[in-house]
Amino acid sequence: MSNRFETLIQSLVDLKIKEGERLKRVCPPSLENSGRYTHLLQQISELRGRPLYYPYIGSGVGRGPLVQLSDGSVKLDFTSGIGVYILGHSHPDLIRAGLVGALEDVVMQGHLQANAIYVRLMEKVIQIAQRNSSLSQGWICPSGSMANENALKIIRQKKGGVRHVLAFEGAFAGRTGSLLEITDNEKAKKGQPLCGDALRIPFTPKKPHLALEALEAHWQNKGTQISSFIVEFMLGDGGYHLAPRSFFLPLFQFCREKGIAVWADEIQTFCRSGEFFAFEKLNLGEYIDVCTIGKSLQLSITLWKKEYNPEPGLVAGTFASSSSSLHSALALLNFLDQGFMGPSGKVEKIHKSWVQHLKKLETKKLISNIEGWGLMIGATPLDGKASTVRSLLQNLFEKGLIAFPCGKGDTMRLRFLIPAVVEEEHLAQAAHILEQALIAQ
């Protein structure tokens, strides 16, 4: 890229950053924008066929965890787009990467015609993966569901078309027709014909023998009709629960002994556990045959060991991802690879600070069951009833803090996906808003 382009890009980045500098704290909406904003909300509700979960329509202006909506309000975004905006809003490295990508010759890059950035990104991802695993090949696609679909097809081909998949109770793999078999969410399956492909394993970290016994029972019943075991190291949709290495190890050893592929679903945990991969944090990479990553990467990738390389034609598709997404993904990895990961990295410092804030609320009996890794932290507010949590979330949104629910049935929890660029002042402000909303509930 010529010096003239570099100069123009830097000027645009500087302008964009300056635009967000005026965002200092949470603030309420502007009355002069209320009529237009209400109309926008009505429009999107009609066009989608249902309203937004939150009345959130962004203005395009943000600064780290702070985001301005089109009604003039400023909020703390502690969902990061359900795990997408790990560097918050308007991060300069991602603005630059997006502009560089926009200046490529095409908007979307594909598997038939890919530019050099495709190669550079895959090289970086596999370099990181091989720090703790034998994953050596991969395929880029736009979404997590597509990455998981590719993983499912690759494993089934390797296993000769074997259908059944082991999955934890509370698992979430995606909303496509095939992945609904694995996803343990009845609302997502309503009206859909199912084939019973998933075999459930209880997620019981405190009683690991129950999970192993269930695995052994499924093997006795289905045997070689089981192709794989899909594993979320931290249940996302299922309640933000996690387990130690000692829980997973005997399950993985059994799978290796019986020839069951271990498929790590890291669509949400990638970059967020305190290491790039959660299997790296647990030192379980040697057991991983296939792994899917996404969300924070701005695109998704299916990774596999060389022996799982699919035959030509099984995994294809027009789009890899947009040029801007490919450049942004590489910029993101390079940024986080500088002091964010590991026991003394910034992600772990953010985790400890936010947990300390939550523990203060726990001593006041406002929340309980604080659990999580790195930038992914869950807690049960008050009585934990679904109605209570939904009401609390709306109250939090109105006060300026965006969080999200997780869990099943009548019991729900708060889910926080904190941006890696958050500062202590933001955490303190978020904790204050949370306490006030809990007291008012």
Side-chain angles (χ1 to χ4, degrees):
M1 186 170 288
S2 71
N3 290 335
R4 186 178 180 188
F5 274 125
E6 289 286 357
T7 301
L8 290 169
I9 287 171
Q10 188 57 51
S11 297
L12 289 170
V13 172
D14 292 342
L15 281 171
K16 186 63 178 175
I17 298 306
K18 189 172 183 180
E19 179 187 46
E21 286 177 350
R22 57 186 169 82
L23 306 185
K24 304 292 185 183
R25 294 181 59 83
V26 165
C27 70
S30 168
L31 290 176
E32 64 187 53
N33 293 329
S34 61
R36 183 174 62 88
Y37 197 71
T38 299
H39 179 65
L40 282 173
L41 291 172
Q42 290 171 345
Q43 275 188 302
I44 198 167
S45 178
E46 291 170 3
L47 293 168
R48 284 166 31 117
R50 60 177 176 174
L52 295 163
Y53 188 86
Y54 289 123
Y56 179 117
I57 299 177
S59 67
V61 179
R63 185 172 71 87
L66 293 168
V67 59
Q68 184 182 59
L69 305 192
S70 293
D71 64 356
S73 66
V74 177
K75 301 185 185 296
L76 279 166
D77 182 1
F78 273 32
T79 65
S80 299
I82 320 183
V84 179
Y85 316 129
I86 191 170
L87 298 188
H89 297 263
S90 296
H91 191 277
D93 286 17
L94 297 192
I95 295 170
R96 170 181 289 278
L99 289 169
V100 171
L103 292 171
E104 292 260 11
D105 61 319
V106 290
V107 174
M108 297 294 292
Q109 293 187 32
H111 302 291
L112 188 64
Q113 294 176 313
N115 291 355
I117 184 61
Y118 185 110
V119 182
R120 290 165 53 206
L121 173 60
M122 284 303 303
E123 183 180 38
K124 178 71 174 182
V125 169
I126 289 172
Q127 178 190 66
I128 293 171
Q130 292 196 319
R131 295 173 186 174
N132 190 256
S133 76
S134 298
L135 301 169
S136 62
Q137 297 173 335
W139 196 270
I140 300 173
C141 62
S143 76
S145 289
M146 291 176 69
N148 274 340
E149 281 279 352
N150 285 336
L152 181 61
K153 291 193 298 181
I154 289 166
I155 292 168
R156 282 177 167 170
Q157 186 182 74
K158 176 70 175 177
K159 300 300 179 182
V162 172
R163 191 180 102 218
H164 289 293
V165 177
L166 296 160
F168 283 123
E169 294 174 358
F172 188 93
R175 297 179 186 271
T176 65
S178 297
L179 297 179
L180 283 180
E181 297 281 345
I182 299 170
T183 293
D184 192 13
N185 183 324
E186 293 307 313
K187 287 184 178 180
K189 302 182 184 190
K190 189 174 181 180
Q192 301 303 303
L194 301 173
C195 301
D197 289 351
L199 306 174
R200 298 290 170 200
I201 303 290
F203 194 84
T204 52
K206 294 181 180 178
K207 295 181 178 180
H209 65 281
L210 295 180
L212 184 58
E213 287 170 4
L215 176 55
E216 291 170 341
H218 284 312
W219 178 259
Q220 288 295 322
N221 188 32
K222 297 293 184 181
T224 56
Q225 291 303 304
I226 300 173
S227 68
S228 57
F229 185 5
I230 181 172
V231 175
E232 292 171 274
F233 291 106
M234 179 176 175
L235 293 184
D237 194 62
Y240 261 39
H241 300 300
L242 50 78
R245 184 177 192 272
S246 58
F247 172 73
F248 295 106
L249 188 58
L251 301 175
F252 289 1
Q253 289 173 333
F254 184 91
C255 287
R256 172 168 288 184
E257 177 187 332
K258 302 301 183 183
I260 300 169
V262 176
W263 163 13
D265 177 353
E266 297 224 25
I267 299 297
Q268 190 163 134
T269 52
F270 184 64
C271 295
R272 294 188 177 275
S273 69
E275 300 290 354
F276 280 104
F277 291 91
F279 68 64
E280 183 181 5
K281 188 176 183 73
L282 294 171
N283 192 26
L284 288 168
E286 66 178 290
Y287 294 97
I288 308 304
D289 298 303
V290 176
C291 179
T292 49
I293 59 177
K295 286 193 183 282
S296 61
L297 201 57
Q298 313 303 299
L299 45 78
S300 293
I301 304 177
T302 308
L303 299 165
W304 59 81
K305 293 163 70 172
K306 190 169 291 185
E307 54 265 39
Y308 279 81
N309 191 21
E311 295 178 18
L314 182 74
V315 176
T318 302
F319 294 143
S321 203
S322 72
S323 296
S324 289
S325 291
L326 291 161
H327 280 275
S328 297
L330 182 58
L332 172 83
L333 294 176
N334 287 334
F335 181 82
L336 292 177
D337 213 8
Q338 301 178 55
F340 280 80
M341 301 303 172
S344 59
K346 186 172 181 182
V347 167
E348 190 60 27
K349 291 175 182 176
I350 291 170
H351 176 86
K352 289 178 179 177
S353 179
W354 184 238
V355 168
Q356 284 180 345
H357 283 292
L358 293 180
K359 284 188 176 295
K360 291 177 183 177
L361 299 180
E362 189 176 37
T363 61
K364 299 178 181 181
K365 301 189 183 305
L366 294 172
I367 62 170
S368 60
N369 302 320
I370 302 165
E371 194 172 359
W373 271 337
L375 304 173
M376 302 172 62
I377 304 166
T380 304
L382 303 172
D383 60 13
K385 291 182 179 178
S387 57
T388 300
V389 176
R390 291 193 187 99
S391 174
L392 174 64
L393 287 168
Q394 294 299 326
N395 195 0
L396 284 172
F397 185 85
E398 290 174 9
K399 292 180 182 296
L401 176 61
I402 309 174
F404 208 63
C406 57
K408 294 177 60 181
D410 294 330
T411 302
M412 297 181 75
R413 285 161 55 77
L414 293 177
R415 178 187 343 189
F416 299 103
L417 292 109
I418 303 173
V421 293
V422 75
E423 301 294 342
E424 180 54 39
E425 63 185 278
H426 302 127
L427 296 172
Q429 188 178 9
H432 176 72
I433 293 171
L434 179 58
E435 180 173 10
Q436 293 304 306
L438 286 164
I439 292 171
Q441 192 62 33

